[in-house]
Amino acid sequence: MGRKVTVATCALNQWALDFEGNLQRILKMATAVGIIITSRTPSCIRSRSWRPFWSLRSLRISSATWGCPPPRVPDAFRPELLHSRPELDSAIPAWCCPSRRPAEYPGLWSTGPSAAEEEGSRPVMHRNVRYNCRVIFLNRKILLIRPKMALANEGNYRELRWFTPWSRSRQTEEYFLPRMLQDLTKQETVPFGDAVLSTWDTCIGSEVCEELWTPHSPHVDMGLDGVEIFTNASGSHHVLRKAHARVDLVTMATTKNGGIYLLANQKGCDGDRLYYDGCALIAMNGSIFAQGSQFSLDDVEVLTATLDLEDIRSYRAEISSRNLAASRVSPYPRVKVDFALSCHEDLLEPVSEPIEWKYHSPAEEISLGPACWLWDFLRRSRQAGFFLPLSGGVDSAATACLVYSMCHQVCEAVKRGNLEVLADVRTIVNQLSYTPQDPRELCGRVLTTCYMASENSSQETCDRARELAQQIGSHHIGLHIDPVVKALVGLFSLVTGASPRFAVHGGSDRENLALQNVQARVRMVIAYLFAQLSLWSRGAPGGLLVLGSANVDESLLGYLTKYDCSSADINPIGGISKTDLRAFVQLCVERFQLPALQSILAAPATAELEPLAHGRVSQTDEEDMGMTYAELSVYGRLRKVAKTGPYSMFCKLLDMWRDTCSPRQVADKVKCFFSKYSMNRHKMTTLTPAYHAESYSPDDNRFDLRPFLYNTRWPWQFRCIENQVLQLEGRQRQELDGVD
């Protein structure tokens, strides 16, 4: 009797609305699956109509692509729905139609979700209600349409804007297929609802991304009802330190209840701020048996494992608490499938061995994730490279290092034989015979850096920027912005008859800030001018994407000039804290052998917008902000993750900082933060689209939806804080008097 099954899952780098490209990646994945199984399967099994089970991630063609996560690009999908139907016509036969070479695409297929849509698979209209569904095929027949039961509706996701969750647990209905699908499958109706599949040798259930994260996931009751294989088609984006949570959810699910769990996840940038980090996996009974890459330039990745179903049954039989719960569980509707995942002669078939999951450190995640995101943006925007204002500070240096890391990954992918990456890089550099071998040489082709000096710039930052550019190989430009700044200030003086001065020269705070802002904004204009024309001046075609380099902490506080160099096309570090960026830059010193970064790390962070004092920097970021970057990270997490306002934050910080700060000092710090944060919140509406990497991102576009006009005095909240401080100080005086 057969008991060993070969299962597979995958991760695809799909792109919203790219119907033809998405279809080709799906077909490439299906072909790769066939090759892997043919090479691993003994002849006794290959000679029979043996089929593994596949969990297909990212059906992003036709109506599948239509379901994307608001508010990213959903409104773009409605007009594309009808003319995309021919792509669906091509895809279904490719997976399950005997007339389209079934030997190349063997197996029982569980398709879903669209990577353009964060969690679900296909939008299916059932009785005039739009559901987000998975569709399971076998040999040109649809076995089950499984609607999603828990929708993602927080953080980056607005799924309830588009879909309705299926609320009828363990119930199915008849779904009448559209005529186009009836012609393909020769079926009039199919089961629609919350059901499982029962084959000759096992039972299979499905979850959809968000359902794994809910307090009572469907796999719990499915497992108690005898489901042995769980599939999850997911659209889970990257956040620093998140991989542990995802892996723990899967391993704990199979530790408590036994079973095989197949997690398929989208990978790559889908055209917005999120990067989907793959990490497809296969787990059984609490152990991992296959791990997909978290960051990769490969558009298609397939994982397989051969596992013994008897291991599940013996594991479950030993958990008495699980068996007691199973005896009371309500049964699921079962769709009977005339099919087996195993064969009778599998005694000699080797089974896969468990492995240890390999995690990246946060610094390694930064070096890989944003670099892959940059690559997707570069190749899909069909631009010729990047333009980066390089100031000699940590933030712009980190951005430059990310481009250099991208170049490293491109060269490694080409060495491994990735023809898609090779074709893309040849298109970018406009040279059909080019083969990248040296990351530094490639960086010189795709990255232009520019140090924009002013009379307030120090020689040290100029030298640091030039040395880093030399070591990574970028095309470096040095220029002075003083003539443009003086022309603009002179124009103001000509019109008004007033000449603004810096504070050190006797000017007011308003004058001082305006003179700093004009320098910063001039740099943005110059950056876009050079991005458009610098390649033209060198006789090369194309334009450059302008990169921003404001970190998440500065954005949160609004410590940036509106429409300065923080305004760019994209920002790979805009969701990363200063603390994590410094750790990443230190990693680059060792990994990429870039000694210029040592002096950058050792230097104080400064905007260099005020006059120098005896040729030395007199302005530092933390002094300007009135707080440290470490404190900013704490404020950011309390504000967004812990959902605290001024008074709640004060109460929490009283305990967190009790050994270092008095209640009065804590109150002053909280008031300082909320005053500046609320005063500058309007700047969040114009933030450059940034790589989403932190749970406390202030991104106003889709993640942190808040007012941008506040009462910056916070009268009620600050009064509550003040009253509490007075009470605490009075209590302390009484205690001291009692001691005396």
Side-chain angles (χ1 to χ4, degrees), residues 356-432:
E356 287 291 326
W357 189 276
K358 297 178 181 178
Y359 292 99
H360 293 290
S361 68
E364 291 172 335
E365 290 185 75
I366 295 171
S367 73
L368 298 171
C372 292
W373 185 76
L374 285 174
W375 173 247
D376 278 349
F377 254 102
L378 179 59
R379 65 190 180 117
R380 288 173 172 170
S381 66
R382 305 185 70 83
Q383 297 300 299
F386 300 110
F387 183 91
L388 172 65
L390 190 61
S391 68
V394 169
D395 292 339
S396 62
T399 304
C401 289
L402 286 174
V403 179
Y404 190 59
S405 174
M406 181 200 79
C407 293
H408 265 269
Q409 294 188 62
V410 169
C411 291
E412 291 172 1
V414 170
K415 288 178 183 178
R416 294 194 305 268
N418 190 318
L419 298 180
E420 288 81 6
V421 172
L422 179 60
D424 285 333
V425 75
R426 286 174 172 175
T427 300
I428 291 167
V429 302
N430 194 39
Q431 188 174 335
L432 296 180

Side-chain angles (χ1 to χ4, degrees), residues 292-347:
S293 61
Q294 186 174 12
F295 308 104
S296 168
L297 301 188
D298 296 332
D299 284 345
V300 176
E301 182 179 24
V302 177
L303 306 179
T304 65
T306 299
L307 302 171
D308 194 334
L309 294 174
E310 288 299 319
D311 289 340
I312 301 171
R313 294 155 190 166
S314 60
Y315 182 90
R316 287 178 169 176
E318 294 301 312
I319 308 175
S320 60
S321 59
R322 179 233 167 241
N323 297 334
L324 287 171
S327 66
R328 297 189 294 266
V329 73
S330 299
Y332 276 81
R334 275 170 160 72
V335 177
K336 295 182 180 179
V337 184
D338 188 16
F339 183 83
L341 272 67
S342 60
C343 76
H344 290 289
E345 300 177 24
D346 63 1
L347 184 62

Side-chain angles (χ1 to χ4, degrees), residues 116-384:
E117 186 280 318
E118 71 267 41
E119 314 290 357
S121 321
R122 297 170 165 277
V124 176
M125 191 76 77
H126 178 56
R127 299 182 180 179
N128 297 330
V129 179
R130 189 187 300 114
Y131 293 101
N132 194 353
C133 303
R134 298 193 67 191
V135 183
I136 302 175
F137 301 100
L138 173 65
N139 294 336
R140 203 178 183 176
K141 302 295 182 183
I142 295 177
L143 302 177
L144 174 66
I145 299 177
R146 201 298 204 159
K148 191 174 180 181
M149 304 178 71
L151 302 184
N153 207 55
E154 68 285 329
N156 288 291
Y157 303 120
R158 307 287 180 274
E159 207 173 354
L160 282 171
R161 178 182 169 187
W162 281 89
F163 300 108
T164 300
W166 180 258
S167 58
R168 301 176 188 174
S169 177
R170 299 174 178 82
Q171 294 183 38
T172 61
E173 298 175 353
E174 275 192 323
Y175 176 76
F176 286 82
L177 292 174
R179 282 177 293 180
M180 181 199 75
L181 294 181
Q182 290 184 27
D183 293 340
L184 288 172
T185 67
K186 309 305 179 186
Q187 296 169 284
E188 183 176 329
T189 64
V190 296
F192 182 100
D194 185 21
V196 298
L197 303 179
S198 183
T199 67
W200 296 346
D201 49 2
T202 190
C203 189
I204 303 163
S206 293
E207 288 187 322
V208 189
C209 182
E210 179 69 13
E211 295 171 356
L212 174 63
W213 300 77
T214 58
H216 191 80
S217 299
H219 68 253
V220 176
D221 288 341
M222 286 182 185
L224 294 175
D225 193 35
V227 172
E228 295 179 329
I229 300 176
F230 310 97
T231 69
N232 187 325
S234 182
S236 182
H237 66 278
H238 173 239
V239 172
L240 292 175
R241 306 169 180 88
K242 178 183 174 181
H244 291 268
R246 192 187 296 142
V247 174
D248 288 347
L249 282 171
V250 173
T251 53
M252 287 307 299
T254 58
T255 296
K256 293 192 297 182
N257 211 359
I260 296 171
Y261 204 106
L262 309 179
L263 178 69
N265 192 33
Q266 163 74 0
K267 65 188 302 187
C269 168
D270 190 35
D272 73 340
R273 295 160 174 79
L274 302 185
Y275 179 82
Y276 297 91
D277 56 339
C279 287
L281 64 86
I282 299 174
M284 182 178 73
N285 298 345
S287 298
I288 301 294
F289 286 82
Q291 174 183 354
S293 61
Q294 186 174 12
F295 308 104
S296 168
L297 301 188
D298 296 332
D299 284 345
V300 176
E301 182 179 24
V302 177
L303 306 179
T304 65
T306 299
L307 302 171
D308 194 334
L309 294 174
E310 288 299 319
D311 289 340
I312 301 171
R313 294 155 190 166
S314 60
Y315 182 90
R316 287 178 169 176
E318 294 301 312
I319 308 175
S320 60
S321 59
R322 179 233 167 241
N323 297 334
L324 287 171
S327 66
R328 297 189 294 266
V329 73
S330 299
Y332 276 81
R334 275 170 160 72
V335 177
K336 295 182 180 179
V337 184
D338 188 16
F339 183 83
L341 272 67
S342 60
C343 76
H344 290 289
E345 300 177 24
D346 63 1
L347 184 62
L348 299 179
E349 173 73 359
V351 294
S352 302
E353 295 295 327
I355 61 173
E356 287 291 326
W357 189 276
K358 297 178 181 178
Y359 292 99
H360 293 290
S361 68
E364 291 172 335
E365 290 185 75
I366 295 171
S367 73
L368 298 171
C372 292
W373 185 76
L374 285 174
W375 173 247
D376 278 349
F377 254 102
L378 179 59
R379 65 190 180 117
R380 288 173 172 170
S381 66
R382 305 185 70 83
Q383 297 300 299

